[in-house]
């Protein structure tokens, strides 16, 4: 694969995702004949056929399916390489920190800038879906993460753990209670993925009865809270997230036997920037102070 043009690889992925040369060309903002020539050139380089085409349809061959499985990681690594090289060219004047919703990193950022007043510190808000990706692809130098994440290639430093709470509508039967046990929630519907709350999964009536509907796809905490407020079910969140998104039509319940949510710091294990370890110590001190 060292002789494969990454541009051709990006063109291939576009066609493989669309399974239509015209739509892929439109997405790439190039002419369809140009795209077809680039794909043929890629097939010649690899000495394989990537697509089966006729007048009605385009489909992937076995070789095409394999390339589609491998190509995104290769393209992501190439983009990460570009970011790291550009960052190295700029020198150590910029340091970018990722953080999950609900986390306040101001104290650590101020401590870092006090030590290095020449440093420009930038902040990137992340999500459950990309919290580790932003480290691997070079968008951030270091990121506050909430497990579980794939730790491959990452250095992880534990910072602290915080309680998790159940978020319910403000008119819920349990609203107003100081705390509840997991058993009190056994008959409730959990809106989010049950794998995110394995303790609830073990006692939930809808799991044992196999009556649970498919889990919707949520793109943000705000979407989850809208469903909670509408009475569709409950969610479990770290306490800092629940308090950050306070609104009058929902409330949160302390759950006595729910394990706390760890918060960790992650960075690329291949990086040698001394600021990474230094910031880890600052973040640990700020979180325990």
């Amino acid at each position: 694969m060292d002789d494969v043009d990454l541009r051709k690889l990006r063109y291939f992925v576009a066609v493989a995702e669309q399974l239509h040369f015209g739509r892929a060309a439109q997405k790439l903002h190039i002419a369809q004949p140009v795209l077809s020539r680039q794909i043929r050139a890629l097939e010649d380089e690899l000495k394989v056929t990537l697509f089966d085409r006729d007048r009605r349809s385009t489909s992937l061959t076995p070789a095409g399916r394999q390339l589609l499985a491998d190509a995104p990681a290769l393209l992501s690594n190439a983009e990460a390489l570009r970011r790291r090289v550009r960052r190295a060219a700029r020198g150590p004047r910029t340091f970018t920190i990722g953080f999950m919703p609900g986390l306040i990193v101001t104290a650590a950022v101020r401590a870092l800038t006090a030590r290095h007043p020449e440093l420009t510190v930038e902040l990137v808000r992340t999500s459950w879906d990309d919290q580790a990706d932003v480290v691997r692809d070079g968008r951030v130098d270091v990121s506050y993460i909430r497990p579980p994440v794939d730790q491959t290639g990452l250095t992880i430093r534990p910072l602290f753990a915080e309680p998790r709470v159940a978020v319910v509508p403000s008119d819920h039967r349990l609203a107003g209670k100081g705390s509840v046990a997991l058993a009190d929630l056994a008959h409730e519907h959990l809106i989010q993925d049950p794998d995110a709350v394995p303790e609830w999964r073990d006692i939930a009536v809808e799991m044992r009865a196999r009556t649970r509907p498919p889990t919707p796809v949520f793109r943000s905490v705000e979407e989850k809270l809208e469903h909670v407020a509408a009475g569709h079910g409950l969610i479990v969140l770290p306490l800092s997230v629940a308090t950050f998104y306070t609104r009058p039509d929902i409330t949160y319940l302390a759950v006595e036997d729910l394990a706390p949510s760890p918060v960790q710091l992650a960075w690329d294990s291949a990086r040698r920037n001394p600021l990474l370890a230094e910031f880890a110590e600052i973040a640990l001190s700020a979180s325990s102070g």
Side-chain angles (χ1 to χ4, degrees):
M1 290 296 292
D2 55 338
D3 293 328
V4 172
D5 185 339
L6 292 177
R7 180 181 59 179
K8 294 189 185 78
L9 200 57
R10 282 191 288 271
Y11 289 173
F12 161 77
V13 170
V15 178
E17 290 176 343
Q18 298 288 330
L19 290 179
H20 191 284
F21 276 73
R23 288 195 296 266
Q26 188 175 22
K27 179 180 178 181
L28 293 165
H29 305 291
I30 62 174
Q32 182 173 336
V34 174
L35 178 58
S36 296
R37 285 196 299 271
Q38 292 293 312
I39 296 299
R40 283 197 298 271
L42 179 60
E43 291 177 323
D44 290 342
E45 291 172 9
L46 295 175
K47 296 180 173 56
V48 297
T49 299
L50 298 172
F51 295 99
D52 286 325
R53 301 174 65 182
D54 58 32
R55 293 183 178 181
R56 294 185 177 181
S57 67
T58 298
S59 61
L60 286 164
T61 65
R65 288 194 293 272
Q66 183 61 57
L67 185 58
L68 182 59
D70 293 336
L74 185 60
L75 292 171
S76 178
N77 287 339
E79 181 58 30
L81 174 63
R82 292 190 188 95
R83 287 194 175 105
R84 287 195 292 267
V85 170
R86 287 196 293 265
R87 184 184 293 115
R90 292 198 304 267
R93 295 187 297 274
T94 301
F95 191 77
T96 305
I97 301 166
F99 65 98
M100 289 282 285
L103 296 178
I104 298 175
V105 301
T106 309
V109 171
R110 287 188 171 184
L112 180 65
T113 53
R115 290 192 191 183
H116 302 277
E118 79 289 354
L119 193 66
T120 298
V121 179
E122 298 177 349
L123 298 170
V124 173
R125 182 184 183 275
T126 64
S127 69
W128 287 102
D129 295 328
D130 68 359
Q131 57 176 332
D133 294 339
V134 296
V135 178
R136 292 194 178 92
D137 66 19
R139 278 177 279 172
V140 305
D141 293 284
V142 66
S143 190
Y144 288 77
I145 64 171
R146 297 185 188 274
V149 297
D150 177 5
Q151 298 186 9
T152 304
L154 302 180
T155 296
I156 305 292
R157 290 285 175 85
L159 294 178
F160 62 92
E162 61 174 318
R164 287 187 296 165
V165 296
V167 184
V168 299
S170 56
D171 59 355
H172 190 275
R173 61 183 177 84
L174 297 175
K177 285 187 172 291
S179 64
V180 298
L182 268 172
D184 297 323
L185 305 175
H187 290 271
E188 301 290 332
H189 171 55
L190 185 73
I191 297 173
Q192 70 205 103
D193 186 346
D195 288 343
V197 194
E199 303 96 329
W200 175 88
R201 184 185 187 115
D202 291 341
I203 57 96
V205 171
E206 70 175 15
M207 297 299 294
R208 293 200 304 270
R210 299 184 180 181
T211 58
R212 177 178 169 79
T215 303
V217 176
F218 297 110
R219 291 178 294 274
S220 66
V221 175
E222 291 90 340
E223 287 185 6
K224 293 178 183 178
L225 295 180
E226 286 294 334
H227 282 266
V228 171
H232 298 163
L234 63 84
I235 60 174
V236 171
L237 293 175
L239 178 60
S240 63
V241 180
T243 55
F244 184 82
Y245 288 97
T246 299
R247 45 189 283 179
D249 50 1
I250 61 172
T251 190
Y252 58 84
L253 308 169
V255 184
E256 299 159 359
D257 44 353
L258 197 59
S261 171
V263 176
Q264 301 170 336
L265 206 64
W267 64 89
D268 187 335
S269 298
R271 297 283 306 283
R272 295 294 178 261
N273 187 346
L275 280 175
L276 294 167
E278 182 178 357
F279 182 74
E281 297 306 315
I282 290 173
L284 182 60
S285 176
S287 63
S288 59

